[in-house]
Each structure stands twice: as C-alpha cells, then as structure tokens.
Amino acid sequence: MTRPLGITVSRHIMDSQRLHPAATGDLTGLLNELIVAAKTISAEVNMAGLADILGMSGKTNIQGEHVQKLDEFANNTIKRRMARCGYLCAMTSEEEADIIPVVEGYEGKYTLAFDPMDGSSNIDVNVSIGTIFSIHRRLSPDGGPGDESDLLQRGRRQVAAGYIIYGSSTMLVFTTGAGVQGFTLDPSVGEFFLSHPDIRIPDKSKYFSINEGNYHYWQEPVRRYLHYLKEEDKATGRPYNGRYIGSMVADFHRNLIAGGVFLYPRDSKNPTKTYGKLRLLYEAAPLAFLAEQAGGRAVTDDGREILDIEPEGLHQRVPVIVGNAHDVDIFLEFMAEKR
Ligand code: AHG
Ligand code: MN
Ligand code: MN
C-alpha cells in the first residue's frame, strides 16, 4: 500500500521556524523532545490494558487525589526526558508538589508546565485521556537553574502550548502563537502528520460540556445559563447537545473541532467558594491559549480572562469557561445578571 506524502510535525515546526530568522532553534528542539515523550506515553497508553499498568498505585498526589500508574509513567517519562533536553531551566508538573529542576549543565531558556495525564479517572474505563503542556521563556537571566518565578507567569506570555490526546487515534494539537495546528500519529511509522491545519472553532456551537452532577452546588446564574442552553430556539441552534467526558482535554478537543463551550465553574463543594477545580498552569492557561488562537475565548466565572491571571502558586485552581467566544460572552451576561 502506498501512503500519501504527509507533512510531519518536525517538518512543520522547522518550516515555521524559518519564518523567524532570529530564532535559535531551541523551541524547535524543545518541541521535538516533547513529541518523543508524547509518543512514548502514547505507546504505553495503547498497551495499558495488556501491560498490567492499570489500577491505582496506592499513592496520593499533592492535590489529594489517587495517582494511577499511568500518571506516574507519563510524569516520569516527561520529567526524565525533558530534564536533560538542554532547552529548559525549570519544570512543574500537576503531579509534583515542588518545582522540578533540570540536570545541571543542561539549563536552557524555557520553562515547562505539564499535566502528564489529564482525565486519569478515565484510564480504567478505556476513555480518552491526554497530556497538556505550556511553555514560557524564562524571566531570570540565561544560564543556571530557573526558579519558581520563571514558572509563575501569565498565560498571555506563553510561547507555546498544546496537548496530546490519546483517543481513537493519538493527536497532537498545539500553538506557538500563529494559529492552532493538529497532527495525527501514524503508529505504523511513529510520526505525527499534519491532519488539521489552522484549526478554528466553528461559528455555530453544537455542544455544552459541564459536570451536571454539580448542579445544586453552582451559583444561580450558572443554573439559569444551563437552562438557557437547553431551551428551543432555532435561530441560535438551541438546544445544544450535552457532552461530558470528564477528561478536559477530550471535552475541549471535541468542542474545538465541532463547536461548543466547556464549563467548570466554582461550586459550593469547595469550602473557599473562590476557586474552581481546574489548575491554572497545567490546564486552564494552555487550553485558553489554544482557544484564543482558534478564535475562541476563555474566562473565569467572574469574567477575568484566563490568560491575564497572574499566577500566585504552582497549583492554583481557577473556574474555567472556554470555547466559542459567543457562548462565553453570553455566559458572562448571565453572570452579570443582564439576562
Ligand atoms: P486530572 O485527571 O488531570 O486530575 O484532571 C481531571 C480534571 C479534568 O480533566 C476534567 O475536566 C475534570 O477534572 C473532571 O472533573 P469532575 O470529575 O469533577 O467532573
Ligand atoms: Mn488534568
Ligand atoms: Mn492529571
């Protein structure tokens, strides 16, 4: 069988780098190393049911959640590979309490924040999961290790962000600030090929994604907004269809491709009533960058742009409303009691 000649992700990244004559190639090198880690994790995910890697490791991470074995594998794979890639000065992972140093002598000019395995409660039930990453330029002077302040930067300052979704096929979706590109892994040759160039969120939305089990814990305007989405109105395409996987990557990916809005607002289950569930550095900011680059919008439930939030801690949580800009705008009108 002959295959059509596809554009590999490395080719694509190198071609984009050519448009920036001043570029040193470090970001290219960094992304390429990350892609190797992603392919390693993808292979392991596909073997998960066979390799006795399923199930709990018995440990609890700093967020107080059970850590599953595939989380550990993904975390270690990224950590070990990226610690000596030569392009990073510091890393932070959703699975680790503290900043992750890079190997001495291998310090570079970027930082990496990652959620090694997003949607880990779905591992045991064979439902899509993913890896999310966010890259910043360090603030401290080049040379030597980076520190926490290099990692605590606004999402607006990301130089690249994206995710790998382990679904019916493995896809890599990322942005370097010039649109969103999607690549699909051909496992038979071990390469990601450009399959979704210049992704734009469709103008018309089809879906809403929210954990409706939290209905009674939401603020009243959130409940009214959900009610609105379910009302019949042909002109605005309502009612929307409800779809919720419980892996943010997968819910986001579907809505990015097919049109829709994903919500994880604050709820009264959280004692402070201030924070949502999702993490700013590992989930909210990278997906907000992708959303904006695809023509969408990402805000908190009190109307702050996710990309403008100044992080206060590595594991800070925020309410997240992300998707089609029109849907996000209407959500905020409900929150402001204008509807
Ligand atoms: P993680 O598996 O990295 O801890 O993330 C799970 C997150 C996110 O992926 C998902 O959207 C959300 O938690 C689901 O939460 P609920 O089960 O509360 O709906
Ligand atoms: Mn996650
Ligand atoms: Mn995770």
Side-chain angles (χ1 to χ4, degrees):
M1 191 182 85
T2 54
R3 293 169 190 279
L5 250 192
I7 299 174
T8 64
V9 65
S10 330
R11 177 77 266 151
H12 177 86
I13 293 170
M14 282 187 286
D15 286 349
S16 326
Q17 193 202 317
R18 282 189 199 189
L19 302 173
H20 304 278
T24 56
D26 282 17
L27 186 59
T28 300
L30 167 49
L31 290 170
N32 281 328
E33 281 295 294
L34 202 52
I35 288 164
V36 177
K39 288 195 275 197
T40 309
I41 298 167
S42 180
E44 194 72 12
V45 168
N46 292 145
M47 291 298 289
L50 300 166
D52 192 33
I53 200 165
L54 286 178
M56 304 294 189
S57 68
K59 293 184 194 157
T60 302
N61 72 6
I62 61 125
Q63 322 268 3
E65 301 151 328
H66 287 294
V67 179
Q68 304 204 346
K69 284 183 182 172
L70 209 46
D71 296 47
E72 285 184 348
F73 178 86
N75 191 47
N76 290 335
T77 300
I78 297 173
K79 199 167 90 169
R80 291 187 189 137
R81 174 160 293 281
M82 301 316 288
R84 55 170 67 239
C85 73
Y87 307 112
L88 295 173
C89 66
M91 290 182 273
T92 181
S93 162
E94 185 199 272
E95 298 293 345
E96 309 232 356
D98 301 318
I99 180 172
I100 305 168
V102 304
V103 175
E104 204 182 328
Y106 285 85
E107 295 91 351
K109 62 184 182 201
Y110 292 105
T111 65
L112 174 67
F114 61 98
D115 178 353
M117 199 47 81
D118 176 64
S120 40
S121 69
N122 280 323
I123 295 172
D124 276 345
V125 290
N126 219 335
V127 170
S128 297
I129 46 184
T131 296
I132 313 175
F133 62 90
S134 163
I135 296 166
H136 282 86
R137 179 88 169 77
R138 74 187 293 176
L139 294 174
S140 55
D142 287 350
D147 57 33
E148 201 169 280
S149 67
D150 291 312
L151 288 155
L152 294 180
Q153 298 191 53
R154 275 180 298 137
R156 188 76 65 199
R157 299 180 60 102
Q158 288 170 104
V159 294
Y163 57 82
I164 299 93
I165 177 168
Y166 313 105
S168 46
S169 49
T170 295
M171 273 192 75
L172 163 69
V173 175
F174 76 95
T175 182
T176 52
V180 178
Q181 315 299 330
F183 300 82
T184 302
L185 181 67
D186 180 342
S188 64
V189 291
E191 280 287 358
F192 281 101
F193 291 100
L194 184 62
S195 53
H196 296 63
D198 295 317
I199 298 173
R200 305 288 299 171
I201 299 184
D203 289 338
K204 270 215 176 305
S205 282
K206 274 196 193 156
Y207 300 119
F208 69 83
S209 311
I210 190 166
N211 182 347
E212 285 207 67
N214 292 331
Y215 185 89
H216 291 290
Y217 302 109
W218 296 333
Q219 301 176 94
E220 216 272 319
V222 179
R223 282 184 233 160
R224 284 195 296 111
Y225 175 69
L226 257 286
H227 185 78
Y228 161 85
L229 292 179
K230 295 174 186 178
E231 283 167 355
E232 189 177 59
D233 177 48
K234 288 215 164 55
T236 51
R238 287 177 291 143
Y240 287 8
N241 285 315
R243 292 280 190 280
Y244 190 73
I245 294 172
S247 300
M248 189 189 189
V249 159
D251 282 306
F252 177 87
H253 182 73
R254 181 198 49 250
N255 295 353
L256 177 71
I257 303 294
V261 59
F262 170 93
L263 307 98
Y264 212 115
R266 79 190 64 195
D267 57 54
S268 59
K269 276 199 290 189
N270 185 316
T272 67
K273 291 194 185 175
T274 349
Y275 301 114
K277 175 181 182 185
L278 299 173
R279 300 78 168 180
L280 176 59
L281 293 188
Y282 316 110
E283 295 168 324
L287 297 189
F289 189 23
L290 288 166
E292 284 203 7
Q293 284 292 317
R297 189 175 176 199
V299 299
T300 61
D301 54 13
D302 51 7
R304 288 170 292 157
E305 301 295 326
I306 297 278
L307 292 181
D308 290 328
I309 299 175
E310 205 69 61
E312 286 160 14
L314 294 177
H315 298 286
Q316 180 177 350
R317 294 170 190 260
V318 285
V320 179
I321 319 300
V322 60
N324 185 297
H326 179 70
D327 293 316
V328 174
D329 294 347
I330 291 180
F331 170 83
L332 290 178
E333 286 176 24
F334 273 89
M335 296 310 287
E337 312 271 354
K338 289 183 191 146
R339 284 186 183 244

